[in-house]
Structure formats: structure tokens, C-alpha cells
Amino acid sequence: MAERETLVQQNTVYQGPIFSVSQQKVQLTNGKYAQRDVVRHVPAIAVLALSDVNHIILEKQYRATIGDFIFEIPAGKLDERDFDQPEHAVRRELNEELRMSAGIIEHITGFYETVGFSDAYMHLYLARQLQPVAPSDQLARDFGESLDIIELSFDDMQLLFEQGKINDQKTLTAFLYWSYIRG
């Protein structure tokens, strides 16, 4: 039977604007001790942005963490502007990254991204009835953010999936949901 550990001690070893890292000493049910390294991350949103029932809008972006480009859906962290309003963050990220607004925004699900070492939680939304944002209403992109906007058909996305070229967790989850609602 699974049993709960007891937190004995916790020390923050790094504190940044987006995440912190702590080392925990925990006592196991057998009386022994173990160390846990825990990343605390602010919540985030991701958006399955459909230009129509058969087309998705993705970003191709360089990610230093993997040293390569990756296809992914728009996403971003919640901040002081919308920490308790994830839908506001959806609208902001659609504007900042895709230069689009959505007529319909629906919550799909939420999930822990890397539960083995982090409490990072992501809200996944569906955005439809997309319209371009006027240049005068466009929000600034994050510093250093460079991305290509790509529109793909469902069949093209299915092919990328089958080739193993969709390997970002939030994008995989969104694609599987899109596959589900298409029937």
C-alpha cells in the first residue's frame, strides 16, 4: 500500500522569479530518511488554438533546455496580471505569441507537468473563432522570445505525431484532445 512521507526539513537552495528549488529531508514509513529535490513553479496555461475544425496554429521555437527547435502550442506562465485568472492569461498569450484573439475559449483540463520533481501545473484551454489582433493592440513578446507561427492541418499534425516529431507534453496532450473531439 502506498504511504505518505513525513517532511522533516526543507531548505530553499534557489529562489528565482519563475521557480524555486528546495531540498527536503523526508522520513519514510520504515523510519529511514531520504532526500527530495523539489522545483516549485508558478502555474501556467497552454492553448490549443484552432483556426477552424481542421487546422491548428503552432509555434516553432528554439529551446535552450533541449538545444533544438520544437513545435509547440502557445503557452505561458501566470503572473501578477492574471495569477488567479487563467483565462486572462490565455487571451494575453494568444495576443503576445500568435497575434490573435479568440471568440470562444474553453477550459479542457489541467495537469502536473513533471510530478517526479516539480509541482508545475498547467491549465489547458481550447481557443476557437480566432481573429488577428490589430497592430496597435498587440502586446509585447517576452524578452528574447523568437518564434515562427505555423498553421497545420489535422492530417499534417497526425503525420508529425506518427513520425515522433510532436514531443512536447502540452502539445501532445492538446493533439490527443483534438483527435478525441474530431471523433
Side-chain angles (χ1 to χ4, degrees):
M1 176 189 330
E3 297 178 341
R4 184 178 299 273
E5 301 172 346
T6 303
L7 178 62
V8 176
Q9 182 180 4
Q10 178 169 265
N11 297 314
T12 300
V13 295
Y14 172 78
Q15 180 67 53
I18 299 172
F19 68 90
S20 64
V21 180
S22 64
Q23 288 184 330
Q24 297 179 342
K25 179 180 179 182
V26 298
Q27 185 174 26
L28 308 176
T29 56
N30 65 6
K32 295 185 178 185
Y33 294 92
Q35 178 178 316
R36 304 286 183 241
D37 296 328
V38 179
V39 175
R40 302 279 181 206
H41 194 285
V42 297
I45 58 90
V47 187
L48 169 58
L50 299 179
S51 55
D52 61 45
V53 295
N54 199 41
H55 291 87
I56 186 172
I57 301 177
L58 293 178
E59 302 170 358
K60 180 181 176 185
Q61 189 169 186
Y62 180 80
R63 293 294 192 174
T65 52
I66 62 171
D68 204 354
F69 289 91
I70 191 164
F71 293 109
E72 57 186 305
I73 60 175
K77 64 180 174 41
L78 300 180
D79 63 24
E80 64 280 348
R81 296 170 287 182
D82 43 38
F83 195 77
D84 60 348
Q85 301 173 48
E87 189 173 308
H88 181 271
V90 170
R91 293 185 187 285
R92 178 174 47 79
E93 290 296 332
L94 285 171
N95 182 322
E96 287 177 9
E97 295 185 4
L98 300 186
R99 305 300 190 206
M100 304 290 274
S101 64
I104 298 174
I105 295 175
E106 301 171 35
H107 185 261
I108 297 172
T109 192
F111 54 89
Y112 290 100
E113 298 178 65
T114 50
V115 72
F117 67 90
S118 176
D119 68 350
Y121 189 83
M122 181 164 279
H123 302 272
L124 180 61
Y125 284 83
L126 171 64
R128 295 182 291 160
Q129 296 181 1
L130 301 176
Q131 296 294 320
V133 173
S136 60
D137 294 329
Q138 291 178 358
L139 300 173
R141 288 199 169 129
D142 291 340
F143 177 75
E145 190 168 51
S146 172
L147 47 90
D148 293 329
I149 306 301
I150 301 166
E151 184 173 25
L152 294 175
S153 70
F154 181 84
D155 291 341
D156 289 340
M157 190 74 170
Q158 176 78 34
L159 182 61
L160 288 174
F161 174 78
E162 291 169 358
Q163 294 171 340
K165 293 182 180 175
I166 302 298
N167 47 22
D168 168 67
Q169 181 185 49
K170 65 188 173 295
T171 305
L172 281 168
T173 303
F175 173 68
L176 294 173
Y177 178 78
W178 188 24
S179 298
Y180 170 76
I181 63 174
R182 286 177 49 87

